[in-house]
Amino acid sequence: SSMPTFNAMEWLKGKRGSPRLVLVVVCVALLLDNMLLTVVVPIIPSFLYTTEHSRQDLAPASNQTPRPETPQGTPFSSVISLYDNTTHMSGSPETNLSEVSTNQSSPASCLEDTDFLEEENVRVGLLFASKAVVQLLVNPFVGPLTNRIGYHIPMFAGFAIMFVSTIMFAFSGTYPLLFVARSLQGVGSSFSSVAGLGMLASVYTDDHERGVAMGFALGGLAMGVLIGAPFGSVMYEFVGKSSPFLILAFLAVLDGDVQANPVLSSQSMEGTPLLTLLKDPYILISAGAICFANMGVGILEPTLPIWMMQTMCSPKWQLGMAFLPASISYLIGTNLFGLLANKMGRWLCSMIGMLIVGISLLCVPFAKNIYGLIGPNGGLGFAIGMVDSSMMPIMGYLVDIRHTSVYGSVYAIADVAFCMGFAIGPSTGGAIVRAIGFPYLMVIIGIINILYAPLCCFLRSPAAREEKMVSCIPCPPSTVALKPSICAALPLAWEESAARFAHEDAT
């Protein structure tokens, strides 16, 4: 007798509509998106310095800082001394190396062209922000689109665009091409994120289960952030610039094979208009918490590696490893508070998270080496995990009790808030660092988070819309005292139970 064969495509078709399969697909999509998001963080500043500064060396600029010379008048190599803790010279081997030692006891000697790096701070910030800005512009169209055509087609479109962006990153060698690749990633990310989160909210209708599922999906996002920066820095250092992007492109193709079979049936749904949702004060407070909490790490992405190069003489591999504590703690925070946030109160969890974000950012400038960044970055990642795992389910819950239970538009708003943090942060961070310095930038964004945190108190018991409330028999005083939230918005299905409570109280 012939052995039974396992057909993966048939299995996927049989599992179509399964909440767990939807969760896995969304988790993998967020994982790859955020690996691509962060894999460029340690690569781009180093790559641009290596390529563009070497071009400036061929045509010296008048505003370039003079470099120390050997007794024979030969300048030192700028690129190698920037990223390694050894200094190589193109002059005579008899020259005394100790005169220009680049050890950590003399940070001022780490960089020989500070002016170029300060200018690069702005350019790298704009490049990183371009993805978020494009995503910000596309999101308002993707939300209503998912309401009309379902979640599958936008999800698959996001994968296809992401694949093209990854290939562009692998083979682009100039700033304009890298800028286009990063912007294209924003389009793909918009489709994947909005469709993915909306798909999750539609299959997990129970508020507690939805919170756990969102925490798990954000864990996939955290894994992408966790793996991305260290993976990028190590592969760039020891293999080459193209290698991490080609591996990501291969993983994206595998994910595309799964998405080629719809995991959820497409159907047209009439949701609440986007502008109506934007006028909801509870949704705006939730979106603001997501924006400001993520703005902290958004600002750090372009500015922290360059600050480390200026003050710590950090080699290339450390520029990505500095984000490792934040990524690990974010992974822990999202999964832990996906379970706990509903029990302790999502508003309280988010408020505490924003306070910790502010304190962690205030502590970053005190670090003297990469080990000094472990505590502040770890606290930052854990706190952002608290905020994200609380606010994402709250957005779905607010739509349930105050609007129509269709989630494309509300998660477009959530993604817009996330992107605003990663657009405003990097685009302004470089210019602010150049004007007032990196430590003062950390103070500003830290204080903003601390001041915003108390607004989360308004999310403690959001009021339901009148059309969502029931014109039923009033609950007895004893029931109101025990469960005031039940009597605030009883669904129609509970009308009979409410009548029974009233009868029992009367008897």
Side-chain angles (χ1 to χ4, degrees), residues 65-380:
T65 307
R67 300 181 197 154
E69 296 191 352
T70 67
Q72 290 79 13
T74 308
F76 293 107
S77 167
S78 62
V79 176
I80 297 179
S81 64
L82 172 62
Y83 299 116
D84 302 324
N85 285 334
T86 57
T87 304
H88 298 267
M89 297 180 299
S90 55
S92 171
E94 288 82 14
T95 306
N96 186 3
L97 295 179
S98 62
E99 294 177 7
V100 287
S101 173
T102 57
N103 54 46
Q104 293 188 4
S105 62
S106 56
S109 64
C110 289
L111 298 178
E112 296 157 0
D113 195 350
T114 306
D115 290 344
F116 182 88
L117 269 172
E118 286 180 353
E119 181 184 340
E120 188 189 23
N121 233 331
V122 179
R123 297 172 76 242
V124 170
L126 290 173
L127 189 145
F128 283 176
S130 64
K131 182 254 185 191
V133 171
V134 171
Q135 196 168 342
L136 197 66
L137 298 173
V138 174
N139 274 337
F141 301 99
V142 176
L145 181 67
T146 58
N147 294 345
R148 287 199 184 96
I149 66 174
Y151 300 113
H152 169 66
I153 295 175
M155 193 84 174
F156 189 78
F159 142 75
I161 297 169
M162 199 89 61
F163 176 78
V164 174
S165 170
T166 308
I167 294 297
M168 279 194 70
F169 268 119
F171 298 107
S172 297
T174 62
Y175 182 86
L177 285 176
L178 290 169
F179 193 93
V180 171
R182 184 72 166 179
S183 302
L184 195 60
Q185 186 198 350
V187 179
S189 184
S190 177
F191 280 92
S192 297
S193 301
V194 174
L197 292 173
M199 193 185 295
L200 269 187
S202 65
V203 296
Y204 287 95
T205 54
D206 178 75
D207 187 48
H208 175 69
E209 288 183 358
R210 183 185 293 162
V212 175
M214 289 287 180
F216 187 84
L218 291 173
L221 184 152
M223 278 297 292
V225 175
L226 169 66
I227 299 168
F231 171 72
S233 60
V234 171
M235 292 294 287
Y236 177 49
E237 172 89 23
F238 299 108
V239 184
K241 168 183 163 285
S242 298
S243 56
F245 300 109
L246 293 176
I247 292 172
L248 283 180
F250 174 73
L251 294 175
V253 170
L254 296 181
D255 182 49
D257 287 341
V258 177
Q259 292 189 31
N261 289 280
V263 293
L264 200 65
S265 59
S266 299
Q267 53 184 340
S268 178
M269 301 160 286
E270 188 64 37
T272 307
L274 190 66
L275 288 176
T276 304
L277 295 176
L278 286 171
K279 293 174 184 176
D280 190 319
Y282 297 107
I283 290 177
L284 289 179
I285 290 172
S286 303
I290 294 171
C291 175
F292 288 118
N294 285 280
M295 192 182 292
V297 74
I299 281 181
L300 281 179
E301 279 189 356
T303 57
L304 182 62
I306 293 175
W307 182 71
M308 288 172 66
M309 285 159 28
Q310 288 176 320
T311 60
M312 301 178 188
C313 309
S314 299
K316 280 186 284 188
W317 66 269
Q318 285 190 3
L319 304 183
M321 287 296 180
F323 292 92
L324 194 60
S327 304
I328 293 174
S329 57
Y330 183 86
L331 178 63
I332 296 169
T334 50
N335 283 281
L336 181 64
F337 287 96
L339 294 166
L340 293 180
N342 196 35
K343 295 180 180 177
M344 65 181 284
R346 291 186 179 129
W347 67 274
L348 179 62
C349 182
S350 183
M351 184 173 72
I352 294 172
M354 293 201 73
L355 291 172
I356 298 175
V357 167
I359 294 168
S360 299
L361 288 169
L362 293 175
C363 294
V364 168
F366 293 102
K368 301 300 180 186
N369 51 46
I370 190 171
Y371 303 106
L373 291 170
I374 293 174
N377 281 3
L380 180 66

